[in-house]
Amino acid sequence: MATQAISKNSSNLALKLEQVGKKFGDLAVLEDLNLDIEPGTFVAIVGRSGCGKSTLLRLISGLDQPDTGAVYYDGQVHRRLNGGARVMFQEARLLPWKKVLDNVCLGLCKQRKDRALAALQHVGLEAKADEWPSVLSGGQRQRVALARALVHEPRLLLLDEPLGALDALTRIEMQRLIEKIWLETGFTALLVTHDIAEAVALADRVILLDGGKIDLDVAIDLPRPRHRDHPRAIELEEAILQRVLNKPE
Amino acid sequence: MIKLKWFGGVAGWLLPAALIAAWAVAVQNSWLSSQILPAPIDIVRSAINLAASGELTANIAASAVRAGWGLLIGGGIGFLLGLLNGLSKTAERLLDTTVQMIRNVPHLALIPLVIIWFGIGEAGKVFLVTLGVFFPVYANTYHGIKTSDPQLIEMGRVYGLNRWQLFSQIIFPGALPSILVGLRYALGLMWLTLIVAETIATSSGIGYMAMNAREFMKTDVVVLAILIYALLGKLADAGVHFLEWRVLQWHPGFKRR
């Protein structure tokens, strides 16, 4: 089942944020944020809407720049879009005028069709290679988007609520797929989500953002593959949820 | 299903055929004077005569050449300027106001001026067609570029596309449906402009053929000229249809049936 195209990446990205702050007008979305992420870990960022988690992801990706502080990739200050990082957005953002395979090829040179096809195989959609994106279901589109990200062998994969718009069953399927691929390839992963169960199911470490600051930073020390009904998982989920809910607005 | 398909292909031609039949009957029974509207068969006859003498093809060719040059020049300038103003804020600030101002002058109002500038030669007619097709192509290209999806562009940047790739793979294909709408309007205006321009002072073209026939009260040739305009218009429209079908296969609205 596993293909050669997506190989275990030995040099995963170490990420560090130092006193990062971002303002939109007078509103400080992030303040003095410090964060250290070990290479190859899966980190989930949760929080209420408007807590700055998507902004944080955009700063890390290089799509936006912090007003204060800096983001470090492997100890180097990082200011522009980085070839080693790929983003999966909430919407699949496939190009409707390119066939599925050509969407996966985006940004690759033309000779790499075989790799794109292998990536499609990896997400179980090689049969759809020659279809237009408009005929795919929401879950299939996100799988194509995942293949498009994986084909570049990213050292850092940034996931901006990519499963937010999917139905419950497809979500669980996608979570398993992402976990499986992460285990095989071992990139550093950063998942922004509002679903605490999803964060606990996938991440090594869950970070709760509140008011632009880190409110909670928990290690999830559960064995993989994980079971959602594991008592410890439920306990952790409940603890994080209580923390979110009991915070005054 | 098969029957329906067959019907679909013919359905569009049912009404014109019925109208021609009614017209033939009306002339036959002298309800209509053949001075006002000659019988369809007379028009066919004069078409055959004109075609045999080579006059018809020469006139159609003369008109087509004018239309083609006008479309090429006007459409080309409109397309490039639409791209430029859509992509560059500076160009837009500099040029868009001027273009919008000129747009509000009906181009056919320039005919007297065009005659003074270009005389009655080919240049004046091509110039009028150029002006006529420029604006629809410009406006729709500009609009298509301006409304390209910022989310897709952002995605393209994250996936390492350079500026040219962003344009050729994301911005331009996204603008293409709108550009083709512009082309369609342009083709309509192209014939319209040509009809008017060819009635001024010409010695060739379908418009000339019609004006000339009017002087001799040859109504059949006048009607023939009008019918040729209708056919050419339909032909141009079918061309754009074909183009849409070719390049917009991905678009759910233009799906292959």
Side-chain angles (χ1 to χ4, degrees), chain A residues 22-87:
Chain A
K22 180 79 182 170
K23 277 184 180 174
F24 288 116
D26 286 334
L27 184 76
V29 181
L30 296 172
E31 270 178 296
D32 270 350
L33 201 89
N34 293 297
L35 187 61
D36 237 313
I37 294 176
E38 300 270 304
T41 46
F42 200 127
V43 177
I45 298 170
V46 295
R48 294 167 185 271
S49 18
C51 71
K53 50 190 195 297
S54 280
T55 307
L56 180 62
L57 198 92
R58 290 179 67 85
L59 294 184
I60 292 172
S61 71
L63 278 170
D64 286 333
Q65 301 308 317
D67 296 326
T68 58
V71 178
Y72 296 87
Y73 276 18
D74 290 333
Q76 300 282 319
V77 179
H78 157 69
R79 283 211 186 79
R80 293 181 305 127
L81 284 167
N82 188 293
R86 287 291 176 263
V87 184

Side-chain angles (χ1 to χ4, degrees), chain B residues 110-126:
Chain B
L110 296 180
I111 285 178
L113 202 56
V114 167
I115 294 178
I116 294 173
W117 286 350
F118 296 97
I120 56 169
E122 289 301 292
K125 293 167 186 69
V126 173

Side-chain angles (χ1 to χ4, degrees), chain B residues 75-200:
Chain B
I77 297 174
F79 175 67
L80 290 178
L81 210 58
L83 286 187
L84 184 70
N85 285 1
L87 292 170
S88 152
K89 278 251 155 59
T90 322
E92 184 190 353
R93 262 187 228 121
L94 269 173
L95 298 171
D96 193 56
T97 313
T98 316
V99 174
Q100 295 304 333
M101 260 166 23
I102 300 173
R103 189 169 85 115
N104 285 307
V105 179
H107 66 292
L108 292 177
L110 296 180
I111 285 178
L113 202 56
V114 167
I115 294 178
I116 294 173
W117 286 350
F118 296 97
I120 56 169
E122 289 301 292
K125 293 167 186 69
V126 173
F127 178 77
L128 279 173
V129 175
T130 299
L131 268 184
V133 301
F134 167 78
F135 291 108
V137 173
Y138 167 78
N140 285 284
T141 306
Y142 173 76
H143 175 260
I145 300 281
K146 273 286 167 190
T147 51
S148 52
D149 189 344
Q151 289 196 331
L152 290 182
I153 296 171
E154 186 180 84
M155 183 279 299
R157 285 175 55 214
V158 174
Y159 280 79
L161 301 191
N162 60 35
R163 288 168 76 98
W164 165 248
Q165 288 170 318
L166 278 180
F167 172 75
S168 65
Q169 300 189 27
I170 299 182
I171 298 172
F172 183 70
L176 205 51
S178 175
I179 294 172
L180 288 178
V181 168
L183 181 63
R184 215 150 174 192
Y185 276 113
L187 288 172
L189 273 170
M190 175 182 85
W191 293 119
L192 177 82
T193 312
L194 203 63
I195 293 168
V196 179
E198 284 188 341
T199 49
I200 314 170

Side-chain angles (χ1 to χ4, degrees), chain B residues 12-91:
Chain B
W13 294 100
L14 283 181
L15 191 59
L19 280 174
I20 290 175
W23 164 19
V25 170
V27 178
Q28 192 77 35
N29 296 329
S30 304
W31 300 334
L32 258 178
S33 151
S34 62
Q35 276 293 313
I36 292 173
L37 206 58
I41 191 71
D42 290 338
I43 292 168
V44 173
R45 208 171 287 139
S46 68
I48 293 171
N49 286 339
L50 284 170
S53 70
E55 219 177 304
L56 188 65
T57 25
N59 283 326
I60 291 181
S63 291
V65 167
R66 287 171 195 145
W69 278 113
L71 181 67
L72 202 68
I73 299 171
I77 297 174
F79 175 67
L80 290 178
L81 210 58
L83 286 187
L84 184 70
N85 285 1
L87 292 170
S88 152
K89 278 251 155 59
T90 322

